[in-house]
Amino acid sequence: MAVAAGWVAGLWTKVPEDVQIEEIKAAFAKIFGKLWDEVVVGKDREALFRFWEGYVGVERLHPHSEITVARIREENPGVPVLEVLLG
């Protein structure tokens, strides 16, 4: 599993249900200061947005190919390690 590290720039967990994509895009821009269309990736993003329960904004994201999630957990017992699916 690829590992990348960065800084959390924003978190939106109270995403409204049963709204149109335009409402999500407007709220996203207000919360993160970026346009949804410019930062949310994925071929089917407009069809799948209803299933997303939150958004995490990350700054200064850098890949670390030499590190694994297992190694991070082993070397840092007791420290929570979050696995985030992107895409």
Side-chain angles (χ1 to χ4, degrees):
M1 180 179 299
V3 172
W7 298 96
V8 174
L11 185 62
W12 181 22
T13 58
K14 295 185 180 188
V15 179
E17 296 180 21
D18 300 323
V19 296
Q20 298 298 314
I21 187 67
E22 292 78 22
E23 294 173 78
I24 293 294
K25 290 179 179 183
F28 184 95
K30 186 176 181 181
I31 292 166
F32 293 105
K34 304 283 183 188
L35 296 178
W36 190 89
D37 288 316
E38 292 179 1
V39 298
V40 177
V41 297
K43 182 176 75 170
D44 299 319
R45 67 183 188 228
E46 291 204 15
L48 297 174
F49 82 93
R50 287 182 174 84
F51 301 105
W52 298 340
E53 297 177 359
Y55 292 85
V56 178
V58 181
E59 293 179 342
R60 297 186 288 180
L61 188 63
H62 299 285
H64 296 277
S65 59
E66 71 284 358
I67 299 174
T68 64
V69 172
R71 178 176 160 198
I72 293 171
R73 286 193 171 119
E74 180 181 310
E75 294 178 1
N76 300 280
V79 175
V81 176
L82 304 176
E83 294 182 54
V84 178
L85 174 64
L86 300 176

